[in-house]
Amino acid sequence: MSPRRRDAEGTAAARAERRAELLATAAEVFASQGYSATTVRKVADAAGILGGSLYYHFDSKEAMADEILSTFLDEMWAAYDRVLESGLSARDTLEGIVVESFRAIDRHRPAVVLYQNESKHLATSERFRYLHDSRRRFEEMWLSLLRRGVEEGALRADLDLDLVYRYIRDTVWVAANWYRRGGRLSADDIAKQYLAMFLEGIQSS
């Protein structure tokens, strides 16, 4: 490899690393202050750079939010698809999806908060139309999985599945508001505790 090519690759890698750092900072600011209240200047201040310097990497705050959300959703759906395509029973698939949800929160907590708080508003823009599509796909996945669980005899047939879906969805994803990496319980540990409460309840036998 020529010195010029090596230098070019090193520069590209450094720029990609810096871009990822700026996105992580932007995600934290969006999550804590809200998308509408966040300006490019606020993100730049949090990153310790001048506002104009941020435009070297991103042309707008919409571009930052787009990359934050699309990266989170792409990784989440890739993990979900691996579980869905593994040929597991409905109950085991449900457990796998919940585990992957908490792993997504662990990796992308600020993005999850941004998605929860802002996706309905952002999805009105054509640029963020995929947020609406993901929300619909998510609901269809869960309702299909719950119906299969009833058919396989793994889940109770006397419960309203729409209500069960909303309960699991809201209970899992609200954890992004309090979860912190490095806490007493790991993401997988919390997933196991949640699953125990979902599937077995908290009443002692």
Side-chain angles (χ1 to χ4, degrees):
M1 181 185 298
S2 69
R4 179 177 296 178
R5 181 177 178 183
R6 184 165 53 248
D7 289 345
E9 290 185 356
T11 300
R15 183 178 179 185
E17 182 177 357
R18 182 56 174 157
R19 182 185 179 87
E21 292 172 352
L22 292 172
L23 280 175
T25 298
E28 290 285 358
V29 177
F30 285 141
S32 63
Q33 300 189 24
Y35 178 78
S36 296
T38 297
T39 62
V40 170
R41 172 63 65 84
K42 286 184 177 180
V43 175
D45 288 346
I49 61 175
L50 297 175
S53 300
L54 198 59
Y55 286 107
Y56 176 71
H57 299 276
F58 308 99
D59 60 18
S60 64
K61 77 171 186 177
E62 288 81 6
M64 289 186 282
D66 187 4
E67 190 162 342
I68 290 165
L69 290 168
S70 62
T71 298
F72 151 58
L73 289 173
D74 286 348
E75 288 190 16
M76 182 191 76
W77 280 111
Y80 282 176
D81 286 341
R82 287 193 294 270
V83 175
L84 294 169
E85 295 167 4
S86 60
L88 299 171
S89 67
R91 177 173 173 137
D92 288 344
T93 301
L94 184 154
E95 292 182 1
I97 293 296
V98 170
V99 168
E100 291 300 339
S101 296
F102 276 100
R103 289 175 178 172
I105 292 172
D106 180 65
R107 291 190 299 268
H108 301 285
R109 190 199 64 79
V112 174
V113 174
L114 175 62
Y115 178 83
Q116 286 183 305
N117 294 342
E118 310 285 356
S119 62
K120 287 185 178 180
H121 167 69
L122 290 173
T124 60
S125 165
E126 187 61 33
R127 179 170 194 161
F128 293 95
R129 182 67 181 175
Y130 63 88
L131 298 175
H132 173 75
D133 296 336
S134 181
R135 183 180 295 272
R136 185 181 66 250
R137 181 183 176 191
F138 187 84
E139 181 175 355
E140 291 172 351
M141 175 197 73
W142 267 107
L143 290 174
S144 175
L145 177 57
L146 291 171
R147 284 193 293 268
R148 184 158 69 91
V150 171
E151 292 167 0
E152 292 179 5
L155 302 177
R156 287 170 54 179
D158 62 320
L159 297 177
D160 184 277
L161 295 186
D162 284 327
L163 183 60
V164 174
Y165 155 66
R166 287 178 173 80
Y167 171 75
I168 295 176
R169 178 198 65 191
D170 294 347
T171 305
V172 169
W173 291 104
V174 77
N177 290 310
W178 54 260
Y179 175 81
R180 294 295 182 273
R181 176 176 288 185
R184 183 171 58 85
L185 297 175
S186 69
D188 283 14
D189 291 334
I190 295 172
K192 291 176 183 177
Q193 293 279 322
Y194 268 57
L195 285 164
M197 289 186 283
F198 290 155
L199 300 173
E200 301 167 19
I202 61 174
Q203 179 175 306
S204 63
S205 56

